[in-house]
Amino acid sequence: MEYVLSHVDMITAGVPYKVETDMYLVIKDGYIQDIGHHPLPEHIEKEWTVYNQKGKIVLSGMYNTHAHTPMSLLRGVSDDVELQTWLKQEIWPREGLLDREKVKTSSSLALAEMIKSGTVAFLDMYHLHMDDVFELTMQAGMKAVLSRGMIGFGTKEEQAQKVEEATALAAAWNKNGNGQIRGMLFPHAPYTCPPPFLEMVIAKAHENNLPLGIHLAETSEEVERHKQLYGKPPVVHLDELGFFEGEAVLTHMVHLTEEEIELVHQPNLTISHNPMSNAKLGSGIAPVPAMLKKGLHVTLGTDSTASNNNLDMFEEMRTAALLQKAAGHQSGAVTAEQVVDMATVRGAKALGFLEEGLLQPGAPADFILLDASSLHLQPVHNIFSHLVYSASGADVTDVFVNGRQLMKNRQLQTLDEERIRYDINQSFDDLERMFVKQKEGRS
Amino acid sequence: MEYVLSHVDMITAGVPYKVETDMYLVIKDGYIQDIGHHPLPEHIEKEWTVYNQKGKIVLSGMYNTHAHTPMSLLRGVSDDVELQTWLKQEIWPREGLLDREKVKTSSSLALAEMIKSGTVAFLDMYHLHMDDVFELTMQAGMKAVLSRGMIGFGTKEEQAQKVEEATALAAAWNKNGNGQIRGMLFPHAPYTCPPPFLEMVIAKAHENNLPLGIHLAETSEEVERHKQLYGKPPVVHLDELGFFEGEAVLTHMVHLTEEEIELVHQPNLTISHNPMSNAKLGSGIAPVPAMLKKGLHVTLGTDSTASNNNLDMFEEMRTAALLQKAAGHQSGAVTAEQVVDMATVRGAKALGFLEEGLLQPGAPADFILLDASSLHLQPVHNIFSHLVYSASGADVTDVFVNGRQLMKNRQLQTLDEERIRYDINQSFDDLERMFVKQKEGRS
């Protein structure tokens, strides 16, 4: 697999971001072998397959650090209601009806939607059928950090078994994932995983050198309840339990004190900031400017389509910037460079897919092309600004992971879009039939 | 011009919104003559041109109640800086260089971008060459409320002349606009228009039966300065000056007290809420839930691409909902139905283009079609939710105004997209050359 993309403009990866015009990228065996300004070296021009991509912008792919792909079936089942109503009356009863087939169609939809909007890698957590998500991700050609989610209820034996199974799965994915998949242990949240269970998971993670993930400090209610139960906020509690000693991704992190922000200021810790989900569920606005000021590794995640309601990381970037500017009455509260950094370089690092640097010779060929001709990107002088403040995932035309083309001119190359559309609607009809039947049975 | 769109799903216009499936719309002479469920009446099937649009969703077009189309050239010239720096160092010096040609290319881009994202009508204000915007709007086939913006400086005579000219233009547009264009008087803001000037404008508006528009209470600094100067906030001051006695569109309205919200609770007054511009410039978050609770007519506007940075009303709807949920910690703070209402029915009413109701027999044939097949709109069960929480302007495929098709399968029918793209980039290069030269001349 050797080829050259020529005559592209490229956004360099890393602050300060720059736009380099009229570039070529030489791709070989899944890696970027060379990047340069035209003209092409003569021997490459002669011997390689050259694809002229004039008018396209090369950008690092998007790294989505929080998803629940099996929940894509639940997009739009409930909006505009309080979190507890949403969970208890709409989401959980339907999740109880998800079987292997429905998880598979949901995840297929999510993966296809992510590729279509320029995402090359994601972190996924669900309590069911994650082995199917592994297979799907391999087939789709994306990179992912996968975890079977855990809730710490049941007997001690049941708990131990749960942790054993999740660990075995993570280890198997690490082994069989061809470097594209990494396993993770993801206890759901401090409010669903009591301290002894968390200690068990933490020990297992450290023993097996697996990264940890968790939902943390998402709502103020959850933080208050934790303080009442344990006399301390969940972030402080997790620190005491040793959660922060290894590699970990801390998701949401909306309700934090200055001291708690300082506590998670460690090179091994990543924040997965989910602004649209936190907004939609009324959870609040994470203190991102304070986190960035302290130097925390802040990344971006969409959460599931049940609370977003799409997986477009371009929109997530824009919302991340706009929310902070609005709430802080500061137009510079979070900048375009900062949100691109979160969605690309920092995300790649958090997921373990960044070696030396993105978009440079020696780096995996993970990148996307965007069409610069859309009217909302005119005039094309400051394309970096346009990508953050005007573009959407729909402007992405091509997606490459390890040099393999997952989307070509908006056509998926590794997944069957028509089939996914058919399956997801069949699955949804089936789910709603079961949901209505179950409700009738209860009443 | 007689035709039928058949086999569409339709979102009815007005709370509660409903999705009607397998509908037909009969269009005649610019109006919707009939709407019904299939099968088509036999005589229509036989005698009319029927376009099968299966898979498309019919929705009211979007009504953008705040734009400055001649500023589209300035997209991306400056982001992430404080408002005063933005205005004084980046925007105003470049605006000083806009000539008739540049205003025309800018507005052409804006109109094309609006049509491409499903907007059928807009309110536009600029101090230069609005006669060209009138011509362009007629050519493009959109509906608009136009105004030559006014700033109240200069001698008494100069001021009077300014008001005379703006009034004459508005009257001419009303006369020559074929019902598609309405004239408006738009003094820029209380901080640029001293009370005597405002009184002159208000008198002129009432005398000529013209609606008024103004930027109001956009930033807290502006409100504080007004209180220092006049001993009262600008909203109270405008009320005393008689600004609220006729039809008026009050734009931004971010920094208001409960009493001020009550003061503008009048059937002749409209709020143009611009959430993305207010966010991007760090102005703040307007108290929309309080406004809605009191029953104010809240509509949506994008402001210009210099502070948005696109003209996509779908994104504006979503941001309007998400910002309030996030800031108010209430997932129901502003609902999907409320933002659609703002962007459609209330916008149409504010701009004077709503007679009986939208999307019903007898209404002007102003509507859009969306493609329901996109992956981010799957499963397609609750398409109303998807349109607000997942769609973007890029999902709009067709736009109709007075029955005339302005976009067909994403192809503009009344404007030349290729030409606009060429012109805007030429204009921008020219502008930046002049801008650099001017800066050098000053230093």
Side-chain angles (χ1 to χ4, degrees):
Chain A
M1 200 158 55
E2 298 179 353
Y3 56 91
V4 179
L5 302 181
S6 73
H7 296 288
V8 291
D9 292 348
M10 191 180 92
I11 313 252
T12 59
V15 177
Y17 287 85
K18 279 180 297 182
V19 183
E20 301 274 1
T21 56
D22 208 25
M23 306 286 287
Y24 62 84
L25 282 81
V26 180
I27 313 297
K28 190 176 177 186
D29 299 332
Y31 287 84
I32 298 174
Q33 182 173 291
D34 193 16
I35 295 183
H37 286 277
H38 275 280
L40 263 175
E42 207 174 324
H43 72 279
I44 291 183
E45 177 99 59
K46 273 187 182 153
E47 293 161 25
W48 292 56
T49 309
V50 178
Y51 299 104
N52 187 330
Q53 297 282 348
K54 194 171 164 57
K56 298 283 177 75
I57 313 291
V58 178
L59 177 69
S60 158
M62 299 284 130
Y63 295 80
N64 183 345
T65 61
H66 194 61
H68 304 285
T69 64
M71 292 177 75
S72 269
L73 193 55
L74 306 182
R75 177 174 11 233
V77 297
S78 175
D79 311 299
D80 305 336
V81 300
E82 292 314 303
L83 182 64
Q84 290 306 315
T85 311
W86 182 76
L87 280 174
K88 291 179 187 161
Q89 292 183 21
E90 304 290 346
I91 300 300
W92 289 344
R94 285 184 175 88
E95 284 196 283
L97 300 169
L98 295 184
D99 56 16
R100 187 173 288 276
E101 198 52 36
K102 290 187 184 58
V103 163
K104 218 168 151 179
T105 57
S106 290
S107 289
S108 301
L109 172 63
L111 267 59
E113 189 185 345
M114 285 196 275
I115 296 172
K116 278 237 152 176
S117 50
T119 294
V120 293
F122 62 102
L123 186 154
D124 205 24
M125 176 274 209
Y126 205 61
H127 59 282
L128 280 177
H129 307 306
M130 284 300 290
D131 42 342
D132 283 309
V133 178
F134 171 82
E135 294 295 338
L136 264 171
T137 308
M138 292 298 288
Q139 182 202 326
M142 296 179 80
K143 295 184 175 180
V145 175
L146 304 181
S147 57
R148 180 201 270 184
M150 294 174 278
I151 286 186
F153 301 134
T155 65
K156 190 91 188 160
E157 287 67 36
E158 286 167 343
Q159 289 183 18
Q161 195 194 333
K162 225 181 249 185
V163 180
E164 276 305 330
E165 285 176 11
T167 306
L169 278 171
W173 297 331
N174 270 336
K175 193 176 157 215
N176 304 321
N178 205 11
Q180 282 176 239
I181 314 278
R182 295 181 72 213
M184 171 178 259
L185 292 187
F186 201 123
H188 175 266
Y191 61 91
T192 51
C193 299
F197 182 76
L198 282 176
E199 282 174 328
M200 202 189 298
V201 178
I202 294 166
K204 215 53 168 170
H206 293 171
E207 190 184 309
N208 292 274
N209 202 21
L210 289 170
L212 283 165
I214 196 162
H215 295 113
L216 191 55
E218 181 175 7
T219 66
S220 54
E221 294 75 14
E222 148 204 345
V223 171
E224 288 313 309
R225 218 180 308 119
H226 199 98
K227 286 201 271 189
Q228 281 167 18
L229 264 174
Y230 301 102
K232 58 194 93 174
V235 172
V236 172
H237 204 166
L238 282 194
D239 181 47
E240 291 174 9
L241 294 171
F243 201 95
F244 303 154
E245 282 165 23
E247 192 191 339
V249 177
L250 313 175
T251 309
H252 296 311
M253 301 291 273
V254 179
H255 298 278
L256 302 174
T257 63
E258 280 287 324
E259 292 72 32
E260 287 162 26
I261 293 175
E262 189 52 49
L263 205 56
V264 295
H265 180 201
Q266 297 184 26
N268 52 313
L269 299 180
T270 295
I271 312 301
S272 176
H273 173 44
N274 296 191
M276 296 188 78
S277 175
N278 297 154
K280 185 150 187 284
L281 296 173
S283 306
I285 301 174
V288 173
M291 292 177 181
L292 294 176
K293 210 174 159 192
K294 282 229 192 320
L296 268 58
H297 297 297
V298 184
T299 64
L300 286 180
T302 54
D303 212 343
S304 88
T305 59
S307 63
N308 186 296
N309 287 357
N310 62 41
L311 302 176
D312 185 339
M313 287 284 286
F314 285 86
E315 217 191 348
E316 208 71 38
M317 288 199 288
R318 180 151 60 249
T319 307
L322 292 185
L323 268 175
Q324 300 294 340
K325 294 170 195 292
H329 291 202
Q330 284 278 347
S331 52
V334 168
T335 67
E337 295 213 327
Q338 286 173 322
V339 293
V340 172
D341 206 37
M342 291 177 202
T344 60
V345 178
R346 285 186 191 261
K349 193 175 169 187
L351 301 188
F353 298 124
L354 180 60
E355 296 163 31
E356 291 298 306
L358 299 172
L359 280 184
Q360 64 186 33
D366 301 344
F367 56 83
I368 61 181
L369 305 185
L370 293 107
D371 180 1
S373 74
S374 286
L375 289 177
H376 59 274
L377 305 180
Q378 308 301 315
V380 283
H381 66 106
N382 188 357
I383 195 73
F384 184 78
S385 162
H386 297 351
L387 291 182
V388 175
Y389 292 120
S390 189
S392 82
D395 295 310
V396 177
T397 58
D398 301 79
V399 174
F400 296 81
V401 174
N402 284 345
R404 184 178 176 198
Q405 192 157 14
L406 310 190
M407 182 164 75
K408 186 176 179 174
N409 284 325
R410 300 283 309 148
Q411 300 302 309
L412 296 178
Q413 303 295 300
T414 55
L415 294 169
D416 182 344
E417 184 169 341
E418 204 51 62
R419 178 67 191 266
I420 289 169
R421 199 179 288 120
Y422 178 81
D423 286 347
I424 197 76
N425 285 293
Q426 292 292 109
S427 283
F428 186 80
D429 289 347
D430 194 40
L431 177 77
E432 288 304 287
R433 252 195 310 277
M434 288 160 73
F435 180 66
V436 168
K437 209 168 155 188
Q438 178 178 276
K439 271 212 286 200
E440 285 169 357
R442 274 183 188 157
S443 65
Chain B
M1 199 158 55
E2 298 179 356
Y3 56 91
V4 179
L5 302 183
S6 74
H7 297 286
V8 290
D9 292 349
M10 191 179 92
I11 313 255
T12 59
V15 177
Y17 286 85
K18 278 181 297 183
V19 182
E20 302 274 2
T21 56
D22 208 27
M23 305 285 288
Y24 62 83
L25 282 83
V26 180
I27 313 297
K28 190 177 177 188
D29 300 332
Y31 287 85
I32 297 173
Q33 183 173 289
D34 194 16
I35 295 182
H37 285 275
H38 275 276
L40 262 175
E42 206 174 325
H43 72 279
I44 291 184
E45 178 100 58
K46 271 188 185 154
E47 294 162 24
W48 290 56
T49 309
V50 179
Y51 299 103
N52 186 330
Q53 296 282 347
K54 192 169 166 59
K56 297 283 176 81
I57 313 290
V58 177
L59 176 71
S60 158
M62 299 284 129
Y63 294 79
N64 183 346
T65 60
H66 193 61
H68 304 287
T69 65
M71 290 176 75
S72 270
L73 193 54
L74 306 182
R75 176 172 12 231
V77 297
S78 175
D79 312 299
D80 305 335
V81 299
E82 293 313 305
L83 182 65
Q84 291 306 315
T85 311
W86 182 76
L87 280 174
K88 290 179 187 161
Q89 291 183 20
E90 304 291 344
I91 300 300
W92 288 344
R94 284 185 176 85
E95 284 195 282
L97 301 169
L98 294 184
D99 56 16
R100 184 173 291 274
E101 198 53 36
K102 289 187 184 59
V103 163
K104 218 168 151 178
T105 56
S106 290
S107 289
S108 301
L109 172 62
L111 268 61
E113 188 184 344
M114 285 195 277
I115 295 171
K116 278 237 150 176
S117 51
T119 294
V120 294
F122 62 100
L123 185 154
D124 206 25
M125 176 275 211
Y126 206 62
H127 59 283
L128 280 176
H129 308 305
M130 284 299 290
D131 42 341
D132 283 308
V133 178
F134 171 83
E135 293 295 338
L136 263 171
T137 308
M138 292 299 287
Q139 183 202 327
M142 297 180 79
K143 295 184 175 180
V145 176
L146 304 181
S147 56
R148 180 201 271 183
M150 292 174 278
I151 285 185
F153 301 135
T155 66
K156 190 91 189 161
E157 288 67 37
E158 285 167 343
Q159 289 183 17
Q161 197 195 333
K162 225 180 249 185
V163 180
E164 277 305 331
E165 285 177 11
T167 307
L169 278 171
W173 297 330
N174 271 334
K175 194 177 156 211
N176 304 321
N178 206 11
Q180 283 176 239
I181 315 278
R182 295 180 71 214
M184 170 177 262
L185 292 187
F186 201 122
H188 174 266
Y191 61 91
T192 51
C193 299
F197 182 75
L198 283 176
E199 282 176 325
M200 203 189 298
V201 178
I202 293 165
K204 215 52 169 175
H206 294 171
E207 190 183 310
N208 291 274
N209 202 21
L210 289 169
L212 283 165
I214 196 163
H215 295 114
L216 192 55
E218 181 176 4
T219 66
S220 54
E221 295 76 12
E222 148 203 344
V223 171
E224 287 313 309
R225 217 180 308 121
H226 200 99
K227 286 201 272 190
Q228 280 167 19
L229 265 173
Y230 301 103
K232 60 193 93 172
V235 171
V236 172
H237 204 165
L238 281 195
D239 180 50
E240 291 175 9
L241 293 170
F243 201 95
F244 303 152
E245 282 165 23
E247 191 192 339
V249 177
L250 313 175
T251 309
H252 297 308
M253 300 291 271
V254 179
H255 299 278
L256 301 174
T257 63
E258 279 289 324
E259 292 71 35
E260 287 163 24
I261 294 175
E262 189 53 47
L263 204 57
V264 295
H265 180 201
Q266 296 185 28
N268 52 312
L269 299 181
T270 295
I271 312 300
S272 176
H273 172 44
N274 297 189
M276 296 188 77
S277 175
N278 297 156
K280 184 151 189 282
L281 295 174
S283 305
I285 301 173
V288 173
M291 291 178 182
L292 294 176
K293 208 172 160 195
K294 281 227 189 328
L296 266 58
H297 297 298
V298 183
T299 64
L300 287 180
T302 54
D303 211 344
S304 88
T305 58
S307 63
N308 187 297
N309 290 354
N310 62 41
L311 302 175
D312 185 339
M313 287 285 285
F314 285 85
E315 217 193 349
E316 207 71 36
M317 286 199 289
R318 179 149 63 247
T319 307
L322 292 185
L323 268 175
Q324 299 295 340
K325 294 170 194 294
H329 292 202
Q330 286 277 344
S331 51
V334 168
T335 67
E337 295 212 327
Q338 287 173 320
V339 293
V340 172
D341 207 38
M342 292 178 202
T344 60
V345 178
R346 285 185 192 261
K349 193 175 170 188
L351 301 187
F353 298 124
L354 180 61
E355 295 163 27
E356 291 298 305
L358 299 172
L359 281 183
Q360 64 185 34
D366 300 344
F367 55 83
I368 60 180
L369 305 184
L370 293 107
D371 180 2
S373 75
S374 287
L375 290 177
H376 59 276
L377 305 179
Q378 308 301 316
V380 285
H381 66 107
N382 187 358
I383 195 72
F384 185 77
S385 162
H386 297 351
L387 292 182
V388 175
Y389 291 120
S390 190
S392 83
D395 295 310
V396 177
T397 58
D398 301 80
V399 174
F400 296 81
V401 174
N402 284 345
R404 184 180 176 196
Q405 193 157 13
L406 309 191
M407 181 164 74
K408 186 175 181 176
N409 284 326
R410 301 284 306 151
Q411 298 302 309
L412 296 177
Q413 303 296 300
T414 55
L415 294 170
D416 182 343
E417 187 170 340
E418 202 53 61
R419 179 64 192 265
I420 288 169
R421 198 177 290 121
Y422 178 80
D423 286 348
I424 198 74
N425 284 293
Q426 292 291 108
S427 282
F428 187 79
D429 290 346
D430 195 39
L431 178 76
E432 289 304 286
R433 252 195 309 275
M434 289 160 72
F435 180 66
V436 169
K437 210 168 154 188
Q438 180 178 275
K439 272 214 282 199
E440 286 169 354
R442 274 183 189 157
S443 61

